[in-house]
């Protein structure tokens, strides 16, 4: 399955917003979010504004054989602008376990060589397993793994450097 990235233009933002509802639904298991009165897991659209206003933020759609498979929101980490950060990463359930995420990570790193960090919620064991495997796939054992505080949450951090 061929995996590709496409930067999301403002004309396709509505597609990302629709996908973001699925992401929030999946993450509600770990974040304790509850549906609103209408039964949906809503979010404020303004949450995505930096991806069209800030040069340090880049939104990508993930494609598998030209079929939309998810998204990745990449940014320079606000506390250290020398470090790239995967703010949000989502692969649709239909594509999970098929190498889409790992191949997308390789493509992202090819587009943005340098220092990286990946933050994972402590409760999300499946994501931790995926990110450790995906990281090893790219940099072998040349990464640091720790528990740190991100804003107000203790999270797993994977840090590494990917040169071009």
């Amino acid at each position: 399955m061929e995996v590709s990235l496409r930067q999301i233009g403002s004309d396709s933002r509505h597609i990302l917003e629709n996908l973001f509802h699925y992401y929030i639904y999946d993450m509600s298991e770990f974040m304790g979010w509850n549906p609103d009165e209408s039964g949906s897991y809503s979010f404020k659209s303004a949450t995505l504004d930096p991806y069209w206003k800030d040069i340090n933020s880049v939104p990508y759609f993930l494609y598998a054989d030209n079929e939309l498979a998810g998204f990745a929101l990449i940014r320079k980490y606000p506390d250290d602008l020398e470090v790239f950060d995967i703010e949000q990463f989502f692969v649709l359930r239909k594509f999970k376990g098929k190498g889409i995420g790992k191949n997308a990570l390789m493509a992202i790193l090819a587009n943005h060589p340098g220092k990286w960090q990946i933050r994972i919620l402590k409760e999300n064991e499946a994501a931790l397993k995926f990110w450790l495997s995906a990281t090893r796939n790219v940099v072998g054992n040349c990464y640091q793994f720790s528990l740190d505080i991100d804003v107000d949450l203790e999270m797993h951090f994977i840090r590494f450097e990917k040169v071009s």
Side-chain angles (χ1 to χ4, degrees):
M1 201 172 269
E2 183 183 339
V3 175
S4 61
L5 304 176
R6 294 183 197 157
Q7 192 166 338
I8 304 170
S10 58
D11 58 330
S12 299
R13 179 179 172 151
H14 66 284
I15 298 169
L16 176 61
E17 290 175 0
N18 287 337
L19 277 177
F20 214 81
H21 289 282
Y22 292 105
Y23 171 74
I24 288 174
Y25 175 79
D26 277 4
M27 293 303 292
S28 69
E29 174 181 354
F30 308 106
M31 297 299 292
W33 294 323
N34 294 308
D36 60 21
E37 305 80 46
S38 69
S40 70
Y41 291 83
S42 60
F43 72 100
K44 293 184 172 120
S45 176
T47 302
L48 301 174
D49 285 351
Y51 287 92
W52 288 273
K53 294 180 178 178
D54 182 354
I55 61 168
N56 291 318
S57 301
V58 182
Y60 289 108
F61 281 135
L62 313 178
Y63 284 86
D65 290 339
N66 291 316
E67 187 176 353
L68 183 60
F71 64 82
L73 303 180
I74 309 304
R75 67 180 180 166
K76 292 286 189 127
Y77 192 59
D79 291 347
D80 184 351
L81 294 177
E82 297 292 315
V83 175
F84 288 103
D85 177 66
I86 297 178
E87 186 173 23
Q88 312 294 342
F89 189 89
F90 178 66
V91 175
L92 288 163
R93 200 167 299 259
K94 166 182 177 177
F95 296 100
K96 288 189 178 189
K98 297 181 179 181
I100 306 303
K102 287 181 179 179
N103 287 328
L105 177 63
M106 287 191 296
I108 290 166
L109 297 176
N111 286 352
H112 305 280
K115 294 179 182 177
W116 276 88
Q117 72 177 17
I118 301 169
R119 297 165 297 115
I120 306 108
L121 292 169
K122 281 175 48 176
E123 302 81 5
N124 194 342
E125 293 175 17
L128 178 59
K129 182 179 175 183
F130 164 77
W131 284 115
L132 286 170
S133 175
T135 301
R136 281 189 212 104
N137 190 49
V138 177
V139 296
N141 289 324
C142 297
Y143 65 90
Q144 298 169 341
F145 178 67
S146 63
L147 277 174
D148 286 322
I149 301 295
D150 181 54
V151 183
D152 61 352
L153 283 177
E154 188 175 42
M155 302 180 82
H156 295 289
F157 277 72
I158 300 171
R159 293 181 175 97
F160 58 93
E161 187 164 353
K162 180 64 175 140
V163 292
S164 50

